[in-house]
Amino acid sequence: MNYNREQIIIENHDAKEIAFLSRLINMIEDVIDDAECRTVYINRGIVEGHEDKVIIEPIECSYDPSESIEIFSKRWNIDNALIGKGDYDYKILYSLIPRKYMSSLHYLLRTYLAKSLSLGHEYYLAVLFDGKAVLLEGERYRIVIPYINHCLSAHTHPTSHSIPSVNDLRTILAVLINRGLLHSIEAVNSTLLIYRKAPLTINELMILRKIERTEDPLEAFRLLKSSDRIAVEYK
């Protein structure tokens, strides 16, 4: 008997907000790298979520950051980015991604946990950088994901726990290295959040190479947590 697996396109405010913050983080990372700034400050309205205008205050740059801001704001589709007085170090934006996810799309994906357990199928949620999201249903205890560049992803475990497999960790780290911000594993008893809290470096590439060589999930998890630029949290 043929079984039509679910494929759903999601367009809502929560996905758009997560995508915007992800693009903004990546834009600022590129400006800091290009103009060799110590850091960047961002306006209070962006952090508190009640303002669309982006005010950027580059701090201690080796080169004029105005050209970098113009180039990378276009690349990351950040409209009306202006140089001005900032209120918060941009690093606070990294913590907003898991907070936004846990207050919104987290609940959407958890509505599929009962089906995930009964069928043994994994469900995969991906938020694209353009603000659209897609929900895909996999096969029994596995899902094959077509490569789509995305800023946030999450999947269900058809078990009671959210302990990642070696393949999970390989996929998650690859997403983060490709400028994604967060991956979540949803299970009945817990939620696991793995997210970037800084730009990744050659060190994380080396960690990925080590994870690719091991089949021990505990060792792979230990390697992932050894990075001081990646946060791991159970909820």
Side-chain angles (χ1 to χ4, degrees), residues 159-211:
T159 61
S160 60
H161 62 78
S162 57
I163 299 172
S165 67
V166 172
N167 284 336
D168 285 338
L169 293 171
R170 290 168 181 161
T171 300
I172 292 166
L173 188 52
V175 168
L176 299 183
I177 286 173
N178 284 300
R179 310 297 294 274
L181 271 296
L182 177 145
H183 187 89
S184 173
I185 298 177
E186 299 286 353
V188 172
N189 294 334
S190 63
T191 295
L192 175 64
L193 299 173
I194 299 175
Y195 61 95
R196 284 205 291 123
K197 55 182 181 178
L200 301 189
T201 66
I202 190 66
N203 179 59
E204 283 69 39
L205 287 173
M206 297 302 294
I207 289 172
L208 177 58
R209 298 294 175 263
K210 292 178 181 178
I211 290 175

Side-chain angles (χ1 to χ4, degrees), residues 49-221:
H50 57 70
E51 190 174 359
D52 294 329
K53 184 185 296 183
V54 176
I55 307 296
I56 291 174
E57 182 184 4
I59 304 295
E60 297 178 15
C61 302
S62 298
Y63 303 99
D64 182 357
S66 57
E67 184 177 356
S68 300
I69 291 171
E70 181 180 357
I71 291 170
F72 292 111
S73 62
K74 290 178 181 177
R75 175 179 174 182
W76 290 103
N77 193 24
I78 301 296
D79 296 327
N80 301 320
L82 304 173
I83 295 179
K85 178 65 177 176
D87 303 295
Y88 296 97
D89 191 304
Y90 91 99
K91 296 182 186 68
I92 195 173
L93 298 176
Y94 292 103
S95 64
L96 293 185
I97 302 295
R99 192 185 311 170
K100 297 287 185 184
Y101 168 77
M102 288 298 293
S103 66
S104 58
L105 299 177
H106 158 74
Y107 294 106
L108 171 65
L109 190 56
R110 290 190 73 82
T111 63
Y112 288 85
L113 277 176
K115 288 181 70 175
S116 192
L117 283 169
S118 63
L119 297 174
H121 291 184
E122 294 186 357
Y123 289 82
Y124 191 93
L125 173 71
V127 178
L128 311 185
F129 279 102
D130 66 3
K132 294 179 182 178
V134 58
L135 180 69
L136 304 173
E137 180 181 1
E139 301 172 7
R140 189 166 177 81
Y141 298 108
R142 67 189 291 267
I143 185 167
V144 177
I145 307 300
Y147 180 74
I148 308 172
N149 196 20
H150 51 277
C151 57
L152 180 148
S153 54
H155 73 279
T156 62
H157 262 194
T159 61
S160 60
H161 62 78
S162 57
I163 299 172
S165 67
V166 172
N167 284 336
D168 285 338
L169 293 171
R170 290 168 181 161
T171 300
I172 292 166
L173 188 52
V175 168
L176 299 183
I177 286 173
N178 284 300
R179 310 297 294 274
L181 271 296
L182 177 145
H183 187 89
S184 173
I185 298 177
E186 299 286 353
V188 172
N189 294 334
S190 63
T191 295
L192 175 64
L193 299 173
I194 299 175
Y195 61 95
R196 284 205 291 123
K197 55 182 181 178
L200 301 189
T201 66
I202 190 66
N203 179 59
E204 283 69 39
L205 287 173
M206 297 302 294
I207 289 172
L208 177 58
R209 298 294 175 263
K210 292 178 181 178
I211 290 175
E212 287 174 341
R213 291 195 294 266
T214 184
E215 295 301 326
D216 181 350
L218 294 179
E219 173 63 11
F221 203 23

Side-chain angles (χ1 to χ4, degrees), residues 7-20:
Q7 297 182 9
I8 301 172
I9 302 297
I10 300 164
E11 296 188 64
N12 61 28
H13 173 75
D14 299 311
K16 289 178 181 178
E17 190 171 15
I18 287 170
F20 167 74

